[in-house]
Amino acid sequence: MRAAAARSARIADMEGAPMARRKKIYEGKAKILYEGPEPGTIVQYFKDDATAFNAEKKDVIDGKGVLNNRLSEFFMNGLTQIGVPNHFIRRLNMREQLVRNCEIVPLEVIVRNYAAGTMSKRLGIAEGTQLPRPIVEYCYKDDSLGDPLVTEEHIAAFGWASQQDMDDILSLALRVNDFMSGVMLAVGIRLVDFKIEIGRVFDGDYQRLIVADEISPDSCRLWDIETGQKLDKDVFRRDLGNLTDAYSEVARRLGVLPQSNVTKPTLIN
Ligand code: 5GP
C-alpha cells in the first residue's frame, strides 16, 4: 500500500515536474526521452519539430507534438486491446506519455500496402499502385547513412536481430498493419505504408519484443479514400498545405480529440 502511494506520488511529481529537474536520456528529431519515475520507465515528450529528408528540411509546426502524443496513445491502446505488445503505459499530459524502457532494435520496419515514396522511386512503380500483398522492408537505423535499406542477410550477419527475432518482428509488423488498416478504413482513410520500431524488454532471462517509439501520421502515409488527399507528413515533406490541419483531421475522424468541437459559450436570452 505504502509502495503504491509512493509510486503515485512519484508519478504525480513527474507530471508537474519542471523540465530542468528531469534527466534527459536522448533527444531525437521529434521527441525527447527523459528518465521515468520508476525503474524500467521512460517519459516520452513529443516536440513540435518537423524534419524531412534526413533533417535537411526543418520547421516547427504548432500543435504537432500534442496531436502525435494523442494519436500514438490511441493506436498503442488499440494494439494492447488486441494483444499486440507495445511500450505504452499511459499518457501523462498534453505532450508526454509514460512508456516502458526497452532496447531499440536498430531497424526501421516498414510495411507497404500501396507503392509510394522510396519504393516508387526505387522500383519505378506509380504512387498509389496497390501491391499484390503487404511488403515488409527493413532499414538500418543510422541517420548519418540515411537509414539504408538492408536485407535479412545483413541483419543476421551483423547480429542486429536473430532469426527468432525476425520471425517475431514480421508477425508484429503484419498484426500492426492489419489493425491500422482496419482502423483507418473505418474512417475513410487508406493506410498506404508506415514505419514502426521494435524494442526488446527483459523479464529475468526471458526477452520479448514489443512495438516501441510512436505510431502517428509522422510515420505513416494516410490518404483520404475518396479524394486521395494526403493526411500525413508528406504534407510537410512536399509543401502540400498545413500539417496541423491534416493531423487534426485524422484525430477528428478517429474521435481522438473530442474537445476539438467544443463550442464557444452562447448567450441565453
Ligand atoms: P519511405 O521509405 O517511402 O520514405 O517511407 C515509408 C514509410 O515509412 C512512410 O510512411 C514514412 O513516413 C515512414 N518512414 C520512413 N523513414 C522514416 C523515418 O526516419 N521517420 C519517420 N517518422 N517515418 C519514416
Side-chain angles (χ1 to χ4, degrees), residues 29-30 108-112 116-120 122 127 137 139 143 147 192-197 213-214 216-222 232-234 237-238:
K29 286 174 281 188
E108 295 196 333
V109 181
I110 294 172
V111 184
R112 301 180 186 268
T118 57
M119 172 180 253
S120 289
R122 212 182 311 116
E127 286 214 315
E137 293 175 348
C139 293
D143 282 341
D147 300 334
V192 173
D193 57 30
F194 66 92
K195 182 254 326 181
I196 52 169
E197 295 187 18
D213 189 50
E214 71 177 280
S216 76
D218 264 10
S219 50
C220 302
R221 281 200 174 89
L222 305 169
D232 56 63
K233 205 164 123 186
D234 275 350
R237 292 188 188 103
R238 302 179 189 188

Side-chain angles (χ1 to χ4, degrees), residues 109 111 133-138 152 164-176 196 198 209:
V109 181
V111 184
R133 60 184 175 86
I135 295 179
V136 183
E137 293 175 348
Y138 305 99
E152 291 197 42
Q164 178 62 55
D165 290 342
M166 291 312 291
D167 293 347
D168 294 348
I169 290 172
L170 181 65
S171 134
L172 283 173
L174 293 175
R175 288 198 73 194
V176 173
I196 52 169
I198 302 292
L209 295 177

Side-chain angles (χ1 to χ4, degrees), residues 3-4 17 26 67 95 136 143 152 157 162 165 170 189 239 258-259:
Y26 171 80
L67 284 158
R95 286 185 182 273
V136 183
D143 282 341
E152 291 197 42
S162 68
D165 290 342
L170 181 65
I189 295 173
D239 293 319
Q259 71 270 42

Side-chain angles (χ1 to χ4, degrees), residues 66-92:
V66 172
L67 284 158
N68 281 350
N69 187 26
R70 285 285 192 146
L71 283 163
S72 202
E73 172 192 19
F74 176 82
F75 296 128
M76 295 289 182
N77 273 338
L79 288 174
T80 301
Q81 298 269 327
I82 62 161
V84 177
N86 65 80
H87 73 163
F88 185 80
I89 300 172
R90 68 189 189 93
R91 188 166 56 79
L92 296 173

